[in-house]
Amino acid sequence: MKLIIGLGNPGKEYTGTRHNAGFHWVDRLAEMLHVTLKPEARFHGLCAQVRQKDMELWLLEPQTFMNRSGQSVAALCQFYKIQPDELIVIHDELDLPPGIAKLKKGGGLGGHNGLKDIAAKLGTQDFWRLRIGIGHPGERNAVVGYVLHPPKKEEAQLIDEAIQRSLEVWPLLVQGACEAAMLKLHTKV
């Protein structure tokens, strides 16, 4: 992996919302790696370059709002010549309940505007995704309000646990051992 992207919306009013699960994941990883995300205008996002031993990669939180995430991702990918199979997008997932995190490569976009824009800008859907379950409100017309509000306390705890559990497979992800990471993450202990 050369690029880790956390999806969310910028601004204090969105900080604790379900839609910002990807930002939360990348923030926690940055803490673990002792790096600070900083504004980078040419990439339209908050970025950090990580260099440890033989590893060099970027962390990115697009600041373009969710439905324009691809602008930020494509800018960084083009500049550093990063291919779609060398990145992973961490995002909220309506189709998974809180407490569940799943890893997959490619597939459908599930109506997720951030993923749609990234796929459009990269010209492919064939990239890794780490999906953090946030649950579904039950009605399609309630989705926008649901994702843009904070989860209930018990849901927030489950989402946090899923983020923590998925961060445990980080060493495998960075080595490019995504299949092994998927097996470990998806296996119930």
Side-chain angles (χ1 to χ4, degrees):
M1 288 294 141
K2 293 185 179 176
L3 175 58
I4 312 297
I5 304 135
L7 295 187
N9 283 311
K12 288 184 173 144
E13 66 271 29
Y14 299 108
T15 299
T17 65
R18 293 174 178 94
H19 225 13
N20 280 25
F23 278 7
H24 299 309
W25 196 95
V26 169
D27 288 343
R28 297 268 284 281
L29 178 61
E31 283 177 32
M32 286 172 45
L33 299 175
H34 308 291
V35 296
T36 303
L37 295 162
K38 296 179 180 165
E40 186 66 58
R42 66 183 165 168
F43 303 135
H44 316 283
L46 299 177
C47 304
Q49 188 173 26
V50 179
R51 289 184 178 141
Q52 293 181 343
K53 298 178 187 167
D54 58 347
M55 171 184 72
E56 186 174 321
L57 64 97
W58 283 91
L59 304 181
L60 173 65
E61 292 180 357
Q63 299 295 291
T64 51
F65 287 95
M66 188 66 80
N67 61 350
R68 293 181 53 226
S69 298
Q71 177 183 4
S72 178
V73 173
L76 198 144
C77 285
Q78 288 168 0
F79 190 85
Y80 288 106
K81 298 180 179 21
I82 297 171
Q83 299 303 309
D85 64 346
E86 297 174 313
L87 62 87
I88 184 167
V89 178
I90 295 92
H91 65 91
D92 59 302
E93 177 62 62
L94 287 164
D95 293 334
L96 294 174
I100 302 295
K102 297 276 184 180
L103 185 62
K104 76 173 190 172
K105 185 174 184 185
L109 304 173
H112 195 288
N113 290 332
L115 292 177
K116 285 180 185 178
D117 196 56
I118 292 169
K121 297 292 188 296
L122 296 180
T124 183
Q125 294 178 200
D126 200 26
F127 51 85
W128 284 95
R129 303 104 187 258
L130 177 59
R131 305 175 303 146
I132 307 296
I134 61 167
H136 197 285
E139 291 189 34
R140 192 173 177 180
N141 60 355
V143 166
V144 172
Y146 181 77
V147 299
L148 295 178
H149 283 86
K152 295 175 187 168
K153 186 177 179 180
E154 49 282 357
E155 291 174 340
Q157 183 176 344
L158 290 169
I159 292 168
D160 189 61
E161 288 169 8
I163 289 171
Q164 188 57 42
R165 200 168 44 260
S166 60
L167 280 165
E168 292 171 9
V169 301
W170 160 250
L172 295 168
L173 292 174
V174 76
Q175 295 167 15
C178 294
E179 299 289 340
M182 190 179 347
L183 181 65
K184 183 175 180 177
L185 184 62
H186 298 186
T187 303
K188 300 238 185 209
V189 179

